[in-house]
Amino acid sequence: MTTDRSLTSLSKYLSLVLRHEPERIGITLDDAGWTDVDALLAQCTAAGRPLDRSTLQRIVDSSDKQRFAFNANATRIRANQGHSVTVDLGLVPVEPPAMLYHGTAEHALPSILVSGLNRGVRHHVHLSESFGTATAVGRRNGAPVLLQVAAGRMHAQGHQFYRSDNGVWLCDAVPPSFIEVLR
Ligand code: HQG
């Protein structure tokens, strides 16, 4: 029986290979980020992370943030967002809510208040609709700080926003004038 802890570990490993380093296990992603499920199972197993189809299905179904998606006939799989490798997820610009939230670590704040939020190695800056999610994201890197982003005002001024299949809001950058620190 695969434990929850080993499912989480495998899920993190899948995030690594489906978002950042497919070459690590000798798989390739197509232009939209999809890879062949059978190849993924075989190559994970060959790399010392045994993975079968039913376990993969459990990971996809149980992912708290719906990080992964199968295509219609479940022969291919991709990460829904978070890539550093070049992929075109086919995201369509949409109007965001008035406010979105970003959790970061206290130590990043001085830099963010000067240069705004940058996408870093990822394709986009990641924003969420809820305080709770944003705070949990920030906590990964240290004492969390919650930032409120005036997404509606940004959009009105021509900044584009996208929403991934798993509900993460994405944009290219957030200038400091749209950021308020919530204390
Ligand atoms: C920070 C997780 C200094 C930014 C989450 C963040 C998310 C700056 C870090 C997804 C900065 C980048 C992404 C600046 C931004 N100066 N620091 N100018 N601009 N930063 O992990 O948004 O669990 O690449 O605040 O749920 O934290 O992986 O981005 O702290 O959706 O599915 O630079 O990762 O999803 O860190 O997290 P990350 P993120 P998963």
PDB file of all heavy atoms in Angstrom, residues 19 65 67 81 102-105 108 111-112 115-119 122 126 137 140-141 168, ligand 1:
ATOM      1  N   ARG A  19       7.664  19.772 -14.807  1.00  0.00           N
ATOM      2  CA  ARG A  19       7.736  21.240 -14.906  1.00  0.00           C
ATOM      3  C   ARG A  19       9.132  21.741 -15.223  1.00  0.00           C
ATOM      4  O   ARG A  19       9.283  22.817 -15.807  1.00  0.00           O
ATOM      5  CB  ARG A  19       7.353  21.882 -13.578  1.00  0.00           C
ATOM      6  CG  ARG A  19       5.930  21.748 -13.167  1.00  0.00           C
ATOM      7  CD  ARG A  19       5.828  22.263 -11.748  1.00  0.00           C
ATOM      8  NE  ARG A  19       4.464  22.348 -11.281  1.00  0.00           N
ATOM      9  CZ  ARG A  19       4.149  22.645 -10.031  1.00  0.00           C
ATOM     10  NH1 ARG A  19       5.101  22.884  -9.147  1.00  0.00           N
ATOM     11  NH2 ARG A  19       2.896  22.705  -9.670  1.00  0.00           N
ATOM     12  N   LYS A  65      -3.873  20.677  -5.068  1.00  0.00           N
ATOM     13  CA  LYS A  65      -3.991  21.822  -5.985  1.00  0.00           C
ATOM     14  C   LYS A  65      -4.238  21.396  -7.431  1.00  0.00           C
ATOM     15  O   LYS A  65      -4.052  22.192  -8.342  1.00  0.00           O
ATOM     16  CB  LYS A  65      -2.717  22.654  -5.935  1.00  0.00           C
ATOM     17  CG  LYS A  65      -2.478  23.323  -4.602  1.00  0.00           C
ATOM     18  CD  LYS A  65      -1.243  24.182  -4.678  1.00  0.00           C
ATOM     19  CE  LYS A  65      -0.814  24.643  -3.316  1.00  0.00           C
ATOM     20  NZ  LYS A  65       0.608  25.015  -3.306  1.00  0.00           N
ATOM     21  N   ARG A  67      -2.473  19.591  -9.487  1.00  0.00           N
ATOM     22  CA  ARG A  67      -1.257  20.007 -10.185  1.00  0.00           C
ATOM     23  C   ARG A  67      -1.117  19.393 -11.573  1.00  0.00           C
ATOM     24  O   ARG A  67      -0.420  19.923 -12.426  1.00  0.00           O
ATOM     25  CB  ARG A  67      -0.025  19.623  -9.364  1.00  0.00           C
ATOM     26  CG  ARG A  67       0.092  20.384  -8.058  1.00  0.00           C
ATOM     27  CD  ARG A  67       1.354  20.038  -7.307  1.00  0.00           C
ATOM     28  NE  ARG A  67       1.446  20.848  -6.114  1.00  0.00           N
ATOM     29  CZ  ARG A  67       0.895  20.539  -4.943  1.00  0.00           C
ATOM     30  NH1 ARG A  67       0.211  19.420  -4.814  1.00  0.00           N
ATOM     31  NH2 ARG A  67       1.026  21.344  -3.915  1.00  0.00           N
ATOM     32  N   GLN A  81       0.495  23.960 -14.297  1.00  0.00           N
ATOM     33  CA  GLN A  81       1.198  25.254 -14.267  1.00  0.00           C
ATOM     34  C   GLN A  81       2.503  25.055 -13.525  1.00  0.00           C
ATOM     35  O   GLN A  81       2.793  23.959 -13.059  1.00  0.00           O
ATOM     36  CB  GLN A  81       0.377  26.369 -13.638  1.00  0.00           C
ATOM     37  CG  GLN A  81      -0.488  26.018 -12.453  1.00  0.00           C
ATOM     38  CD  GLN A  81       0.215  25.654 -11.169  1.00  0.00           C
ATOM     39  OE1 GLN A  81      -0.146  24.691 -10.517  1.00  0.00           O
ATOM     40  NE2 GLN A  81       1.229  26.425 -10.788  1.00  0.00           N
ATOM     41  N   HIS A 102      -0.690  37.265  -2.919  1.00  0.00           N
ATOM     42  CA  HIS A 102       0.585  36.561  -3.121  1.00  0.00           C
ATOM     43  C   HIS A 102       1.249  36.430  -1.759  1.00  0.00           C
ATOM     44  O   HIS A 102       1.409  37.427  -1.051  1.00  0.00           O
ATOM     45  CB  HIS A 102       1.474  37.365  -4.074  1.00  0.00           C
ATOM     46  CG  HIS A 102       2.811  36.743  -4.322  1.00  0.00           C
ATOM     47  ND1 HIS A 102       3.046  35.843  -5.351  1.00  0.00           N
ATOM     48  CD2 HIS A 102       3.997  36.865  -3.669  1.00  0.00           C
ATOM     49  CE1 HIS A 102       4.311  35.465  -5.329  1.00  0.00           C
ATOM     50  NE2 HIS A 102       4.921  36.065  -4.316  1.00  0.00           N
ATOM     51  N   GLY A 103       1.622  35.213  -1.423  1.00  0.00           N
ATOM     52  CA  GLY A 103       2.356  35.000  -0.177  1.00  0.00           C
ATOM     53  C   GLY A 103       3.831  34.908  -0.481  1.00  0.00           C
ATOM     54  O   GLY A 103       4.241  34.226  -1.420  1.00  0.00           O
ATOM     55  N   THR A 104       4.611  35.625   0.305  1.00  0.00           N
ATOM     56  CA  THR A 104       6.058  35.533   0.116  1.00  0.00           C
ATOM     57  C   THR A 104       6.711  35.459   1.487  1.00  0.00           C
ATOM     58  O   THR A 104       6.027  35.394   2.508  1.00  0.00           O
ATOM     59  CB  THR A 104       6.578  36.721  -0.727  1.00  0.00           C
ATOM     60  OG1 THR A 104       7.928  36.473  -1.105  1.00  0.00           O
ATOM     61  CG2 THR A 104       6.487  38.030   0.045  1.00  0.00           C
ATOM     62  N   ALA A 105       8.033  35.457   1.495  1.00  0.00           N
ATOM     63  CA  ALA A 105       8.754  35.390   2.763  1.00  0.00           C
ATOM     64  C   ALA A 105       9.217  36.796   3.139  1.00  0.00           C
ATOM     65  O   ALA A 105       9.558  37.606   2.267  1.00  0.00           O
ATOM     66  CB  ALA A 105       9.945  34.450   2.629  1.00  0.00           C
ATOM     67  N   ALA A 108      12.093  38.536   1.480  1.00  0.00           N
ATOM     68  CA  ALA A 108      12.000  38.975   0.080  1.00  0.00           C
ATOM     69  C   ALA A 108      11.336  40.343  -0.052  1.00  0.00           C
ATOM     70  O   ALA A 108      11.392  40.972  -1.118  1.00  0.00           O
ATOM     71  CB  ALA A 108      11.213  37.946  -0.731  1.00  0.00           C
ATOM     72  N   SER A 111      13.100  43.739  -1.449  1.00  0.00           N
ATOM     73  CA  SER A 111      13.341  43.671  -2.888  1.00  0.00           C
ATOM     74  C   SER A 111      12.034  43.795  -3.677  1.00  0.00           C
ATOM     75  O   SER A 111      11.957  44.507  -4.690  1.00  0.00           O
ATOM     76  CB  SER A 111      14.059  42.347  -3.199  1.00  0.00           C
ATOM     77  OG  SER A 111      13.982  42.056  -4.555  1.00  0.00           O
ATOM     78  N   ILE A 112      10.978  43.134  -3.199  1.00  0.00           N
ATOM     79  CA  ILE A 112       9.689  43.168  -3.898  1.00  0.00           C
ATOM     80  C   ILE A 112       9.113  44.588  -3.913  1.00  0.00           C
ATOM     81  O   ILE A 112       8.568  45.043  -4.917  1.00  0.00           O
ATOM     82  CB  ILE A 112       8.694  42.172  -3.251  1.00  0.00           C
ATOM     83  CG1 ILE A 112       9.138  40.735  -3.554  1.00  0.00           C
ATOM     84  CG2 ILE A 112       7.271  42.414  -3.741  1.00  0.00           C
ATOM     85  CD1 ILE A 112       8.354  39.666  -2.813  1.00  0.00           C
ATOM     86  N   SER A 115      11.267  46.398  -6.690  1.00  0.00           N
ATOM     87  CA  SER A 115      11.189  45.975  -8.093  1.00  0.00           C
ATOM     88  C   SER A 115       9.894  45.265  -8.457  1.00  0.00           C
ATOM     89  O   SER A 115       9.696  44.884  -9.612  1.00  0.00           O
ATOM     90  CB  SER A 115      12.386  45.090  -8.450  1.00  0.00           C
ATOM     91  OG  SER A 115      12.493  44.033  -7.552  1.00  0.00           O
ATOM     92  N   GLY A 116       8.986  45.080  -7.489  1.00  0.00           N
ATOM     93  CA  GLY A 116       7.736  44.385  -7.778  1.00  0.00           C
ATOM     94  C   GLY A 116       7.924  42.880  -7.742  1.00  0.00           C
ATOM     95  O   GLY A 116       8.994  42.380  -7.389  1.00  0.00           O
ATOM     96  N   LEU A 117       6.855  42.166  -8.113  1.00  0.00           N
ATOM     97  CA  LEU A 117       6.927  40.703  -8.153  1.00  0.00           C
ATOM     98  C   LEU A 117       7.413  40.273  -9.530  1.00  0.00           C
ATOM     99  O   LEU A 117       6.830  40.652 -10.556  1.00  0.00           O
ATOM    100  CB  LEU A 117       5.544  40.095  -7.887  1.00  0.00           C
ATOM    101  CG  LEU A 117       5.051  40.165  -6.440  1.00  0.00           C
ATOM    102  CD1 LEU A 117       3.573  39.800  -6.372  1.00  0.00           C
ATOM    103  CD2 LEU A 117       5.873  39.253  -5.541  1.00  0.00           C
ATOM    104  N   ASN A 118       8.468  39.462  -9.529  1.00  0.00           N
ATOM    105  CA  ASN A 118       9.027  38.935 -10.776  1.00  0.00           C
ATOM    106  C   ASN A 118       8.726  37.449 -10.883  1.00  0.00           C
ATOM    107  O   ASN A 118       8.577  36.772  -9.871  1.00  0.00           O
ATOM    108  CB  ASN A 118      10.551  39.118 -10.790  1.00  0.00           C
ATOM    109  CG  ASN A 118      10.924  40.574 -10.622  1.00  0.00           C
ATOM    110  OD1 ASN A 118      10.248  41.444 -11.160  1.00  0.00           O
ATOM    111  ND2 ASN A 118      11.963  40.830  -9.857  1.00  0.00           N
ATOM    112  N   ARG A 119       8.725  36.957 -12.103  1.00  0.00           N
ATOM    113  CA  ARG A 119       8.365  35.549 -12.291  1.00  0.00           C
ATOM    114  C   ARG A 119       9.508  34.599 -11.964  1.00  0.00           C
ATOM    115  O   ARG A 119       9.292  33.391 -11.826  1.00  0.00           O
ATOM    116  CB  ARG A 119       7.864  35.311 -13.704  1.00  0.00           C
ATOM    117  CG  ARG A 119       8.891  35.623 -14.773  1.00  0.00           C
ATOM    118  CD  ARG A 119       8.220  35.745 -16.125  1.00  0.00           C
ATOM    119  NE  ARG A 119       9.192  36.052 -17.160  1.00  0.00           N
ATOM    120  CZ  ARG A 119       9.833  35.148 -17.865  1.00  0.00           C
ATOM    121  NH1 ARG A 119       9.624  33.855 -17.628  1.00  0.00           N
ATOM    122  NH2 ARG A 119      10.694  35.493 -18.783  1.00  0.00           N
ATOM    123  N   ARG A 122      10.048  30.759 -13.174  1.00  0.00           N
ATOM    124  CA  ARG A 122       8.786  30.251 -13.720  1.00  0.00           C
ATOM    125  C   ARG A 122       8.319  31.124 -14.890  1.00  0.00           C
ATOM    126  O   ARG A 122       8.862  32.183 -15.140  1.00  0.00           O
ATOM    127  CB  ARG A 122       7.731  30.227 -12.615  1.00  0.00           C
ATOM    128  CG  ARG A 122       8.173  29.369 -11.415  1.00  0.00           C
ATOM    129  CD  ARG A 122       7.014  29.105 -10.507  1.00  0.00           C
ATOM    130  NE  ARG A 122       7.452  28.568  -9.223  1.00  0.00           N
ATOM    131  CZ  ARG A 122       7.170  27.341  -8.795  1.00  0.00           C
ATOM    132  NH1 ARG A 122       6.480  26.506  -9.534  1.00  0.00           N
ATOM    133  NH2 ARG A 122       7.597  26.936  -7.617  1.00  0.00           N
ATOM    134  N   HIS A 126       2.783  33.941  -9.709  1.00  0.00           N
ATOM    135  CA  HIS A 126       1.616  33.156  -9.286  1.00  0.00           C
ATOM    136  C   HIS A 126       0.848  33.915  -8.208  1.00  0.00           C
ATOM    137  O   HIS A 126       1.434  34.354  -7.217  1.00  0.00           O
ATOM    138  CB  HIS A 126       2.061  31.811  -8.697  1.00  0.00           C
ATOM    139  CG  HIS A 126       2.561  30.846  -9.718  1.00  0.00           C
ATOM    140  ND1 HIS A 126       2.258  29.498  -9.686  1.00  0.00           N
ATOM    141  CD2 HIS A 126       3.346  31.028 -10.803  1.00  0.00           C
ATOM    142  CE1 HIS A 126       2.842  28.906 -10.715  1.00  0.00           C
ATOM    143  NE2 HIS A 126       3.506  29.802 -11.403  1.00  0.00           N
ATOM    144  N   VAL A 137       1.668  29.393   0.649  1.00  0.00           N
ATOM    145  CA  VAL A 137       2.735  29.475  -0.350  1.00  0.00           C
ATOM    146  C   VAL A 137       3.920  30.250   0.221  1.00  0.00           C
ATOM    147  O   VAL A 137       5.076  29.839   0.114  1.00  0.00           O
ATOM    148  CB  VAL A 137       2.233  30.140  -1.647  1.00  0.00           C
ATOM    149  CG1 VAL A 137       3.384  30.422  -2.600  1.00  0.00           C
ATOM    150  CG2 VAL A 137       1.191  29.267  -2.333  1.00  0.00           C
ATOM    151  N   ARG A 140       6.429  28.556   2.715  1.00  0.00           N
ATOM    152  CA  ARG A 140       7.429  27.585   2.235  1.00  0.00           C
ATOM    153  C   ARG A 140       8.837  28.149   2.323  1.00  0.00           C
ATOM    154  O   ARG A 140       9.803  27.402   2.390  1.00  0.00           O
ATOM    155  CB  ARG A 140       7.165  27.212   0.760  1.00  0.00           C
ATOM    156  CG  ARG A 140       5.856  26.503   0.518  1.00  0.00           C
ATOM    157  CD  ARG A 140       5.646  26.270  -0.958  1.00  0.00           C
ATOM    158  NE  ARG A 140       5.843  27.513  -1.674  1.00  0.00           N
ATOM    159  CZ  ARG A 140       6.270  27.625  -2.920  1.00  0.00           C
ATOM    160  NH1 ARG A 140       6.535  26.549  -3.607  1.00  0.00           N
ATOM    161  NH2 ARG A 140       6.429  28.798  -3.479  1.00  0.00           N
ATOM    162  N   ASN A 141       8.957  29.470   2.287  1.00  0.00           N
ATOM    163  CA  ASN A 141      10.293  30.074   2.185  1.00  0.00           C
ATOM    164  C   ASN A 141      10.713  30.865   3.417  1.00  0.00           C
ATOM    165  O   ASN A 141      11.738  31.538   3.392  1.00  0.00           O
ATOM    166  CB  ASN A 141      10.344  30.998   0.956  1.00  0.00           C
ATOM    167  CG  ASN A 141      10.099  30.231  -0.329  1.00  0.00           C
ATOM    168  OD1 ASN A 141      10.594  29.122  -0.486  1.00  0.00           O
ATOM    169  ND2 ASN A 141       9.303  30.790  -1.220  1.00  0.00           N
ATOM    170  N   VAL A 168      -4.969  28.762 -10.445  1.00  0.00           N
ATOM    171  CA  VAL A 168      -3.922  29.705 -10.059  1.00  0.00           C
ATOM    172  C   VAL A 168      -3.959  30.876 -11.040  1.00  0.00           C
ATOM    173  O   VAL A 168      -4.042  30.676 -12.260  1.00  0.00           O
ATOM    174  CB  VAL A 168      -2.525  29.029 -10.100  1.00  0.00           C
ATOM    175  CG1 VAL A 168      -1.426  30.037  -9.770  1.00  0.00           C
ATOM    176  CG2 VAL A 168      -2.475  27.851  -9.136  1.00  0.00           C
TER     177      VAL A 168
HETATM  178  C1  HQG B   1       9.661  35.816  -4.670  1.00  0.00           C
HETATM  179  C2  HQG B   1       3.522  26.446  -5.550  1.00  0.00           C
HETATM  180  C3  HQG B   1      12.611  38.997  -4.252  1.00  0.00           C
HETATM  181  C4  HQG B   1       8.246  35.316  -4.609  1.00  0.00           C
HETATM  182  C5  HQG B   1       2.618  27.549  -5.080  1.00  0.00           C
HETATM  183  C6  HQG B   1       8.490  33.876  -4.194  1.00  0.00           C
HETATM  184  C7  HQG B   1       2.566  28.516  -6.219  1.00  0.00           C
HETATM  185  C8  HQG B   1      10.813  37.937  -5.191  1.00  0.00           C
HETATM  186  C9  HQG B   1       9.802  33.531  -4.843  1.00  0.00           C
HETATM  187  C10 HQG B   1       3.765  28.168  -7.050  1.00  0.00           C
HETATM  188  C11 HQG B   1      10.638  38.985  -6.116  1.00  0.00           C
HETATM  189  C12 HQG B   1       9.649  32.649  -6.060  1.00  0.00           C
HETATM  190  C13 HQG B   1       4.683  29.348  -7.154  1.00  0.00           C
HETATM  191  C14 HQG B   1      11.527  40.062  -6.041  1.00  0.00           C
HETATM  192  C15 HQG B   1       9.110  37.518  -6.482  1.00  0.00           C
HETATM  193  N1  HQG B   1      12.496  40.036  -5.091  1.00  0.00           N
HETATM  194  N2  HQG B   1      11.791  37.940  -4.269  1.00  0.00           N
HETATM  195  N3  HQG B   1      11.444  41.119  -6.871  1.00  0.00           N
HETATM  196  N4  HQG B   1       9.572  38.694  -6.907  1.00  0.00           N
HETATM  197  N5  HQG B   1       9.847  37.045  -5.441  1.00  0.00           N
HETATM  198  O1  HQG B   1       8.322  29.098  -5.793  1.00  0.00           O
HETATM  199  O2  HQG B   1       4.891  32.207  -6.165  1.00  0.00           O
HETATM  200  O3  HQG B   1       2.982  23.543  -4.732  1.00  0.00           O
HETATM  201  O4  HQG B   1       9.037  30.347  -7.883  1.00  0.00           O
HETATM  202  O5  HQG B   1       7.487  36.034  -3.657  1.00  0.00           O
HETATM  203  O6  HQG B   1       1.357  27.076  -4.724  1.00  0.00           O
HETATM  204  O7  HQG B   1       6.263  31.210  -4.251  1.00  0.00           O
HETATM  205  O8  HQG B   1       4.622  23.903  -6.588  1.00  0.00           O
HETATM  206  O9  HQG B   1       7.026  31.101  -6.690  1.00  0.00           O
HETATM  207  O10 HQG B   1       8.624  33.752  -2.797  1.00  0.00           O
HETATM  208  O11 HQG B   1       1.420  28.434  -7.003  1.00  0.00           O
HETATM  209  O12 HQG B   1       2.230  23.349  -7.090  1.00  0.00           O
HETATM  210  O13 HQG B   1      10.395  34.770  -5.266  1.00  0.00           O
HETATM  211  O14 HQG B   1       4.402  27.079  -6.406  1.00  0.00           O
HETATM  212  O15 HQG B   1       2.787  25.506  -6.237  1.00  0.00           O
HETATM  213  O16 HQG B   1       9.260  31.367  -5.593  1.00  0.00           O
HETATM  214  O17 HQG B   1       5.136  29.735  -5.860  1.00  0.00           O
HETATM  215  P1  HQG B   1       8.459  30.382  -6.523  1.00  0.00           P
HETATM  216  P2  HQG B   1       5.801  31.145  -5.657  1.00  0.00           P
HETATM  217  P3  HQG B   1       3.170  23.980  -6.132  1.00  0.00           P
END
